[in-house]
PDB file of all heavy atoms in Angstrom:
ATOM      1  N   SER A  34    -157.565  45.080  46.886  1.00 68.00           N
ATOM      2  CA  SER A  34    -157.753  45.829  45.671  1.00 68.00           C
ATOM      3  C   SER A  34    -156.349  46.188  44.954  1.00 68.00           C
ATOM      4  O   SER A  34    -155.486  46.538  45.655  1.00 68.00           O
ATOM      5  CB  SER A  34    -158.391  47.179  45.928  1.00 68.00           C
ATOM      6  OG  SER A  34    -158.537  47.864  44.718  1.00 68.00           O
ATOM      7  N   VAL A  35    -156.271  45.952  43.715  1.00 66.00           N
ATOM      8  CA  VAL A  35    -155.127  46.367  42.935  1.00 66.00           C
ATOM      9  C   VAL A  35    -155.426  47.971  42.473  1.00 66.00           C
ATOM     10  O   VAL A  35    -154.537  48.654  42.561  1.00 66.00           O
ATOM     11  CB  VAL A  35    -154.771  45.444  41.841  1.00 66.00           C
ATOM     12  CG1 VAL A  35    -153.695  45.999  40.901  1.00 66.00           C
ATOM     13  CG2 VAL A  35    -154.511  44.084  42.310  1.00 66.00           C
ATOM     14  N   GLY A  36    -156.649  48.114  42.019  1.00 63.00           N
ATOM     15  CA  GLY A  36    -156.881  49.438  41.387  1.00 63.00           C
ATOM     16  C   GLY A  36    -157.393  50.546  42.217  1.00 63.00           C
ATOM     17  O   GLY A  36    -157.246  51.666  41.977  1.00 63.00           O
ATOM     18  N   MET A  37    -157.943  50.147  43.448  1.00 66.00           N
ATOM     19  CA  MET A  37    -158.391  51.301  44.410  1.00 66.00           C
ATOM     20  C   MET A  37    -158.145  50.792  45.691  1.00 66.00           C
ATOM     21  O   MET A  37    -159.010  50.612  46.666  1.00 66.00           O
ATOM     22  CB  MET A  37    -159.950  51.296  44.263  1.00 66.00           C
ATOM     23  CG  MET A  37    -160.353  51.910  42.755  1.00 66.00           C
ATOM     24  SD  MET A  37    -162.094  52.250  42.671  1.00 66.00           S
ATOM     25  CE  MET A  37    -162.376  53.511  43.676  1.00 66.00           C
ATOM     26  N   PRO A  38    -156.856  50.830  46.131  1.00 66.00           N
ATOM     27  CA  PRO A  38    -156.458  50.485  47.519  1.00 66.00           C
ATOM     28  C   PRO A  38    -156.722  51.516  48.417  1.00 66.00           C
ATOM     29  O   PRO A  38    -156.981  52.682  48.085  1.00 66.00           O
ATOM     30  CB  PRO A  38    -154.864  50.182  47.307  1.00 66.00           C
ATOM     31  CG  PRO A  38    -154.488  51.226  46.268  1.00 66.00           C
ATOM     32  CD  PRO A  38    -155.623  51.203  45.253  1.00 66.00           C
ATOM     33  N   PHE A  39    -156.622  51.162  49.744  1.00 73.00           N
ATOM     34  CA  PHE A  39    -156.591  52.177  50.844  1.00 73.00           C
ATOM     35  C   PHE A  39    -155.562  51.739  51.750  1.00 73.00           C
ATOM     36  O   PHE A  39    -154.967  50.658  51.875  1.00 73.00           O
ATOM     37  CB  PHE A  39    -157.863  52.338  51.410  1.00 73.00           C
ATOM     38  CG  PHE A  39    -158.462  51.165  52.224  1.00 73.00           C
ATOM     39  CD1 PHE A  39    -158.155  50.895  53.515  1.00 73.00           C
ATOM     40  CD2 PHE A  39    -159.318  50.226  51.489  1.00 73.00           C
ATOM     41  CE1 PHE A  39    -158.642  49.885  54.180  1.00 73.00           C
ATOM     42  CE2 PHE A  39    -159.873  49.253  52.246  1.00 73.00           C
ATOM     43  CZ  PHE A  39    -159.480  48.956  53.534  1.00 73.00           C
ATOM     44  N   GLY A  40    -155.053  52.676  52.592  1.00 72.00           N
ATOM     45  CA  GLY A  40    -153.913  52.374  53.331  1.00 72.00           C
ATOM     46  C   GLY A  40    -152.606  52.499  52.553  1.00 72.00           C
ATOM     47  O   GLY A  40    -152.395  53.583  51.893  1.00 72.00           O
ATOM     48  N   GLU A  41    -151.913  51.526  52.706  1.00 75.00           N
ATOM     49  CA  GLU A  41    -150.564  51.380  52.035  1.00 75.00           C
ATOM     50  C   GLU A  41    -150.833  51.208  50.478  1.00 75.00           C
ATOM     51  O   GLU A  41    -151.628  50.422  50.063  1.00 75.00           O
ATOM     52  CB  GLU A  41    -149.810  50.219  52.405  1.00 75.00           C
ATOM     53  CG  GLU A  41    -148.490  50.097  51.878  1.00 75.00           C
ATOM     54  CD  GLU A  41    -147.632  48.891  52.407  1.00 75.00           C
ATOM     55  OE1 GLU A  41    -148.133  48.162  53.094  1.00 75.00           O
ATOM     56  OE2 GLU A  41    -146.553  48.665  51.956  1.00 75.00           O
ATOM     57  N   SER A  42    -150.191  52.031  49.689  1.00 73.00           N
ATOM     58  CA  SER A  42    -150.318  51.948  48.246  1.00 73.00           C
ATOM     59  C   SER A  42    -149.660  50.782  47.749  1.00 73.00           C
ATOM     60  O   SER A  42    -148.718  50.133  48.314  1.00 73.00           O
ATOM     61  CB  SER A  42    -149.565  53.024  47.467  1.00 73.00           C
ATOM     62  OG  SER A  42    -150.141  54.268  47.726  1.00 73.00           O
ATOM     63  N   GLY A  43    -150.254  50.034  46.682  1.00 80.00           N
ATOM     64  CA  GLY A  43    -149.795  48.815  46.252  1.00 80.00           C
ATOM     65  C   GLY A  43    -150.893  47.846  45.717  1.00 80.00           C
ATOM     66  O   GLY A  43    -152.148  48.273  46.014  1.00 80.00           O
ATOM     67  N   ALA A  44    -150.644  46.744  45.391  1.00 84.00           N
ATOM     68  CA  ALA A  44    -151.677  45.652  45.008  1.00 84.00           C
ATOM     69  C   ALA A  44    -151.769  44.762  46.195  1.00 84.00           C
ATOM     70  O   ALA A  44    -150.853  44.040  46.680  1.00 84.00           O
ATOM     71  CB  ALA A  44    -151.123  44.987  43.732  1.00 84.00           C
TER      72      ALA A  44
END
Side-chain angles (χ1 to χ4, degrees):
S34 178
V35 173
M37 294 181 71
F39 63 88
E41 182 183 2
S42 293

